[in-house]
Amino acid sequence: MRIFDDSMSDVRDRLLEAVERMPAFPESVHQVLTLSQDINCSQKELVEVIKKDPVFTLKILRLVNSPYFGLSREITSINHASVYLGLNTLKNVALGLAAVGAIPKSASTRMDMGAFWLHSLAVATCASMLGRKLGVSRDDTANYFASGLLHDIGKVVFALYLPEEFEQVVVKASAQGAPMHHCELEIIGATHADLGGMLADKWNLPSELRDAIALHHSPDRVGSQLNDCLFIANQITKKLSFGSAGNFVVEPLAESMVNRFSMDMDALIADLPSLAEEVESARIFIKLGESR
């Protein structure tokens, strides 16, 4: 995340004010995130917290029984869902639904939220698929999905609470064919990745997820498998035109990323033939998250 010195205090104050205007998560989700960061937390404790919120429970069960998970039998209780999904996946399902639900409806008047969520879902799905290619378990790839779903969330905060500056960014990026985060830095003094990291702190997200969001344009600063997969997924999604979050510049993959998969971007795309189908299945996240 960017370090703001005294000369940038005005920028930081404006960003903090914007972040503070974003809605908080429901108390049940806040408790789930707090509990799940405790290494001594049990599945039973997590389930009991979720069960206290009947609306949220229903959303999770609908998601679990959707084609996205493709389970062979119907899951009728959160207890059963926790057994089938695992603690980490259950946590990230709750997180994903809450994050989508936290976006104010007014965001749609400043951004094409349909295109934004399609891009985000595609990055989430692609990052998960890349993780599985590297041998990551389904439960652990839930972190990859969550990081993809939320990687551009800072753009929504810009659009909502710094709309004039964000409009300048969009115009400049489009006119110059430049990456949005470069234009944000020039015009606002910080990027959507910086703002996303600050929002992750407000929402008390796990540190791994916060770092993935805050550094998704600087994976070399982390060097982690998750961040590499997130960066690659973002570029693949832009190249294949899955939705749009306003940035159309496809950045090259670092040599270390190519070496990690022993494939360049085109080879990776060819090796992900079911990407479009899996993205379509994942749309249920947005439908359920946006429903009140």
Side-chain angles (χ1 to χ4, degrees), residues 28-48:
S28 56
V29 179
H30 178 72
Q31 290 180 30
V32 164
L33 290 172
T34 301
L35 274 174
S36 62
Q37 294 180 62
D38 180 356
I39 59 173
N40 297 313
C41 168
S42 70
Q43 242 162 317
K44 181 179 179 182
E45 289 176 284
L46 205 63
V47 165
E48 289 304 313

Side-chain angles (χ1 to χ4, degrees), residues 20-198:
E20 284 306 310
R21 293 174 69 181
M22 285 292 288
F25 281 166
E27 181 58 29
S28 56
V29 179
H30 178 72
Q31 290 180 30
V32 164
L33 290 172
T34 301
L35 274 174
S36 62
Q37 294 180 62
D38 180 356
I39 59 173
N40 297 313
C41 168
S42 70
Q43 242 162 317
K44 181 179 179 182
E45 289 176 284
L46 205 63
V47 165
E48 289 304 313
V49 168
I50 294 173
K51 284 166 68 175
K52 292 177 182 177
D53 188 332
V55 173
F56 208 59
T57 295
L58 181 60
K59 286 185 178 184
I60 291 175
L61 288 177
R62 287 181 62 191
L63 179 60
V64 170
N65 286 300
S66 74
Y68 176 72
F69 282 102
L71 301 180
S72 59
R73 55 169 291 186
E74 184 179 9
I75 304 299
T76 57
S77 72
I78 288 293
N79 299 70
H80 290 155
S82 70
V83 172
Y84 274 85
L85 299 183
L87 190 69
N88 193 50
T89 299
L90 186 60
K91 173 200 74 179
N92 279 292
V93 162
L95 167 61
L97 290 173
V100 175
I103 304 303
K105 289 294 185 184
S106 57
S108 63
T109 64
R110 298 184 174 96
M111 286 184 74
D112 182 343
M113 292 306 294
F116 173 85
W117 283 126
L118 178 55
H119 167 75
S120 301
L121 273 180
V123 174
T125 303
C126 187
S128 300
M129 295 174 75
L130 292 172
R132 294 201 299 271
K133 285 178 67 63
L134 294 174
V136 178
S137 70
R138 175 138 197 177
D139 194 33
D140 286 338
T141 58
N143 295 335
Y144 291 58
F145 187 91
S147 67
L149 189 65
L150 300 180
H151 76 286
D152 272 343
I153 198 72
K155 291 179 182 177
V156 178
V157 186
F158 274 149
L160 283 167
Y161 305 121
L162 285 87
E164 293 180 3
E165 292 95 328
F166 189 65
E167 178 62 26
Q168 292 176 42
V169 168
V170 172
V171 170
K172 186 180 182 72
S174 177
Q176 297 185 357
M180 281 191 76
H181 58 287
H182 291 178
C183 299
E184 290 165 348
L185 197 55
E186 291 177 21
I187 293 172
I188 302 174
T191 72
H192 65 273
D194 298 324
L195 196 54
M198 295 169 72

